[in-house]
Every structure is written in structure tokens, then in C-alpha cells.
Amino acid sequence: MLIRKVSDILSSEITPHSIYLNRRQFMAGAAGLLLPVSAIAALPAAKSPFSSTEKPNSRNDITSYNNYYEFGSGKDEPAIYAGKLKTRPWTVTVDGEVNAARTFDIDSLLKMKLQERIYRLRCVEGWSMVIPWVGFPLAELLKQVQPTSRAKFVAFETALRPGEMPGVARRVLDWPYREGLRIDEAMHPLTILAVGLYGEVLPNQNGAPIRLVVPWKYGFKSIKSITRIHLLEKQPPTSWNMANAREYGFYSNVNPEVDHPRWSQASERRIGEFFKRKTLPFNGYGEQVAALYRGMDLVKNF
Ligand code: MTE
């Protein structure tokens, strides 16, 4: 289902991004456009010390091998169908256990201090990628709405637009796609809202115009195309947990010692590589996040 043979990997997928960009600029020029394509969508971002030093996957890997079930369950379907999603106008409502609930226009969020964060993404299915996100800490947004002392959890919701999302006609999940974090996970400096990748605005298949990235958790926690963030006292229901609680827990911290009921989580295949590599606890971010779970049984709380 998810492993591609080396022979399936197109040479275009390993094109260095600078060459890719130059080629796009050349093509834009040849087509008589006034501005190079990359200049239209570029997002200036400062480098972050939280970035991984590993080599990022190619832009083509990152934008053509996706999970976004609102556009189908095939890895290639989001790239084919997500173009239909209208990402303007777009607002994100942040409400619930807060003193200053607010609805943010996406263009005001693009004016936040943006950083490039190169993070590993480990999918629960057994593959991984390294992705140069552009975004800002979720904590920066939450502080603006002033969480109350009762805010113990944060719930997230993806837009639900049957007319633009062909995949929601099938009830694979109970739409809208929902995710949740504990408030300390949400406020952790590694947790970001991403608005771009490779220095440009986020492609729709990666969750435009704004998606969550929680690098120490399995990829499905990183919910795409968010329209609502709701702070609450009780742990919120989450899509994959509702669909199959035995296989997908609320925490879903990357844990090589806790097998998925149908497969081992001990290793992973980096997209573009042939040999498997060992999966690291907390996806390699243990030094920064293990303290959040001190005293918790991470086999029970998987
Ligand atoms: N968010 C929504 N709304 N719908 C989805 O189907 N899939 C999740 C997550 N966020 C998903 C989603 C899964 S399973 C993964 S692995 C990541 O998105 C994949 O992110 P990427 O395609 O940007 O690599």
C-alpha cells in the first residue's frame, strides 16, 4: 500500500529545489508573465534553531505523496484533487476556554513572524520525510486569545466543503477531520502552525492555507486546512481515534516500542531511500518533549 519501489521514483523528484525554482522562473518568463512564479508566493522566513540538519526531501516528494482523505485515500489523490479547495477568503476561529475569542483572517496570520522549521514527519503507516516548513509557534496564536485556567486541551477542525472535497462523500472518517492536543503539547515551542514549505505558500495538498505540525507525533495529528481551534477542559474526540480506538490513540507519540496492532513501528522508510532506518522515540525529539510525559504509562497512553 505505501512502499514504492526505487524504480517508481521519478528523477524529477530528486531535482534540487534551486534548479526546480530556476526552471519555474524560466517557464514563467517564457510564458510572458511579469513576475517569476516564486516571487508571487514567496514567504520570507528566519532560520530556526529547532530545525533538523538532515537533508529535506524534494519538493516533489513532499507535494505528491500525501495523506489528505478529504481528497481521497490514495497517496496521489490530494495532489490531483486538492486544487479545487478555495483558500481565500479563509478565517480561523479560536474560541472556547479563552478570555478573548477571535476570528483571524488568514492574511493577518501570514504577517506573523515566520520561521523555517525543517522537521522530520513520521507517518503511522511506516514512512517518513524531512520537510522544510514555514510557520510560527501555535503558542503565539494561543497567547493572543488568553486561555483561561480551565483550558486543558485544544481541539482542531478542518474545513468541511463537500463541493470542493470529493473524498468526504465517502464516510471513511466522521467529517470534519478533527484532532486534539493537551494544552502543554499545544504550547510547546516545537508545535507550529505551518503556512508554507520550501519558502513558498503551502500547496493545497499539504494543508493550505494553514495546518498544524507536531513533529514528535505520528503525522495524522498534524491536521490540515484548519478553520477552528477550540480550547476546552475535557479531552476532545479525534477523527482516527473515533474511527478505530484500538489502532489510533489520543497521544500518538512516535514510539518504536509500541506496535500498531497490524504492524511494527520499530523502523521506517524515508521516502526516496531504499533501506529502512530505525524509528526514534518521539521521532528523535525526546530531549525536548519527553518531560511532558514523565510518570505516564506510554504503552497505555499510546
Ligand atoms: N488532515 C486532514 N484534514 N485530513 C487528513 O486526511 N492526514 C494526516 C495529516 N493531516 C490528514 C490530515 C496524515 S495521516 C498525515 S501522515 C499527514 O497529514 C500528512 O501530511 P503531508 O501530506 O503534508 O505530508
Side-chain angles (χ1 to χ4, degrees), residues 41 43 110 114-115 117 131-135 192-203 206 209-211 213:
L43 288 175
L110 288 179
L114 300 181
Q115 301 171 3
R117 297 277 185 105
I131 304 179
W133 300 111
V134 175
I192 59 166
L193 286 170
V195 293
L197 64 82
Y198 262 123
E200 298 177 326
V201 294
L202 213 52
N206 293 91
I210 186 159
R211 58 92 57 86
V213 182

Side-chain angles (χ1 to χ4, degrees), residues 66-70 123 158 177 206 211 219-220 222-224:
N66 301 101
N67 275 331
Y68 197 164
Y69 276 54
E70 286 88 332
C123 183
T158 294
Y177 195 99
N206 293 91
R211 58 92 57 86
F220 68 87
S222 291
I223 180 173
K224 297 177 170 181

